[in-house]
Amino acid sequence: MKKLIMLYLVSTFGAAVCMARDKVESPVVNADNTVTFNLYMPDADEVVIRGSFIPSKQYLKTEIGTLGKSGKVEMKKEGDVWTYTSATLPSELYTYYFEVDDERMLDPANPDVVRDIADSLSYFVVRNGLADDYITRDVPHGTLRKVWYPSALNGMNRRRMSVYLPNDYDSAPDRRYPVLYLLHGSGGDEDAWEGCGRVVQILDNMIAGNQCVPMIVVMPNGNAELAAAPGSDPRNPDRKPSAMNTGSMLGNIEAVFMKEVVNYVDENFRTIADKAHRAIAGLSLGGLHTLFISLNNPAKFDYVGLFSAQTTNALDDKRISSLQKIGEAWNELKSSIPFIGRGSVDRKISSLTSENLNIYDDVDNKLKSQFSTPPKLYYIAVGEDDFVKKLNDDFRMRLDNGGYKYHYNETSGGHTWENWRKYLVDFLPRIFLLD
């Protein structure tokens, strides 16, 4: 009898705990656009919330820009629930997570989760403003396909891309479409613009509102070392992505882009396969790829977008020449003494050299060629506190010295998805419409 009573009490207590936890609502966007977060964690000693909506108190101002990270604030305990209410927030999509006694966790009351590189983050949207473009609305929806295509990059047989097709793609089989190639940043992959970038919602909403033309949007994986996003790469199923993506800064992605990505898209989708109907844009590392793909293929893209672009890979012509010589000498040595072509030394040298480094050299002459028949739009956007701001200023000076026209959009903020989403929304109405 006593055992039955104990089992009843334990089960009743457990049910009560679950009910108390399940009744917690979080986050709650209040009428004044403050946001309240609640976490049922009765045994915790300390709970901290970190989020993109909290001003950073840890930053470093340098000559190239401002370096910082998401701010944090301590939550207060009220009974068994930890709570925090933010200041009034402008319309935006925000990410956050909790630290419970220094252990990171998502908000268990919030089903909305997004991955940024290797981190999962809870998110919420404050509406009635620019973030209305980022939510799923009652409009015709396009489709997003995950497509494997043949590739010889780094000995791979195939790589994966995401392809957005507008709502009428299947219902209008005789129609052909312009194409935007949209590239992610360092540590990202073919899922980045879909998740953090909200590209599907943005395109659905803007196409439905006649703010941009229906278009195909191709989002390839620009990580040279991985064929696909985490969990989808059969060669590296457990490998986590890293923001330190130096292997993608050696010209290899740019060298095969036209042959492997663009040609595949033109052959397998109903594109209008000419310069006037082809655009390319990218953020950060994707901006580096965008810059040099368009620079080395001046007759292929009429619209170029650099979002917080890494306008140099830190290799000037002299350094590129030196690395090329190191690579050539090492390959000659390996051919003469085959047994040295293995091990950590070989891997290290191979990771720092590439036969495609010439992608980055002779910039001034390549710019002259590209702007001899200039793109209809050359778009540069960057935040005033972005750590790549000076790189972009230096590149714009280079363009100014050559007399090359471009559109410049300087915003507040730094190297963040908040800015990159805004740049995409600003960029889309400008492409495929200019005479």
Short mmCIF file of all heavy atoms in Angstrom, two decimals, residues 13 58 119 175 249 276 425:
data_model
loop_
_atom_site.label_atom_id
_atom_site.label_comp_id
_atom_site.label_asym_id
_atom_site.label_seq_id
_atom_site.Cartn_x
_atom_site.Cartn_y
_atom_site.Cartn_z
N PHE A 13 3.35 14.51 -8.60
CA PHE A 13 4.31 15.62 -8.56
C PHE A 13 4.93 15.84 -9.93
O PHE A 13 5.06 16.98 -10.40
CB PHE A 13 5.40 15.31 -7.53
CG PHE A 13 6.48 16.35 -7.47
CD1 PHE A 13 6.26 17.57 -6.86
CD2 PHE A 13 7.73 16.11 -8.06
CE1 PHE A 13 7.26 18.54 -6.82
CE2 PHE A 13 8.72 17.07 -8.01
CZ PHE A 13 8.49 18.29 -7.39
N GLN A 58 30.62 44.26 -24.91
CA GLN A 58 32.00 43.84 -25.14
C GLN A 58 32.32 44.05 -26.62
O GLN A 58 31.82 43.37 -27.48
CB GLN A 58 32.19 42.37 -24.78
CG GLN A 58 31.90 42.07 -23.32
CD GLN A 58 32.12 40.61 -22.99
OE1 GLN A 58 32.69 39.88 -23.79
NE2 GLN A 58 31.69 40.20 -21.82
N ASP A 119 25.78 26.61 -34.69
CA ASP A 119 24.97 26.92 -33.51
C ASP A 119 23.48 26.95 -33.84
O ASP A 119 23.06 27.54 -34.84
CB ASP A 119 25.36 28.30 -32.94
CG ASP A 119 26.77 28.31 -32.39
OD1 ASP A 119 27.22 27.26 -31.89
OD2 ASP A 119 27.44 29.36 -32.47
N ARG A 175 7.46 29.28 -69.72
CA ARG A 175 8.10 30.52 -69.25
C ARG A 175 9.53 30.25 -68.82
O ARG A 175 9.83 29.23 -68.21
CB ARG A 175 7.30 31.11 -68.09
CG ARG A 175 7.87 32.44 -67.60
CD ARG A 175 6.95 33.10 -66.58
NE ARG A 175 7.50 34.38 -66.15
CZ ARG A 175 6.89 35.19 -65.30
NH1 ARG A 175 5.71 34.87 -64.80
NH2 ARG A 175 7.46 36.34 -64.95
N MET A 249 39.06 30.18 -49.64
CA MET A 249 39.61 31.47 -50.02
C MET A 249 40.82 31.33 -50.93
O MET A 249 41.69 32.21 -50.98
CB MET A 249 40.00 32.28 -48.78
CG MET A 249 38.87 32.47 -47.79
SD MET A 249 39.39 33.38 -46.30
CE MET A 249 38.03 33.01 -45.19
N ALA A 276 22.27 39.61 -69.32
CA ALA A 276 21.22 40.54 -68.93
C ALA A 276 20.23 39.92 -67.94
O ALA A 276 19.53 40.65 -67.23
CB ALA A 276 20.46 41.04 -70.16
N VAL A 425 16.60 42.61 -49.45
CA VAL A 425 15.32 43.27 -49.73
C VAL A 425 15.54 44.53 -50.57
O VAL A 425 14.72 44.86 -51.44
CB VAL A 425 14.59 43.60 -48.41
CG1 VAL A 425 13.39 44.51 -48.66
CG2 VAL A 425 14.14 42.32 -47.72
#
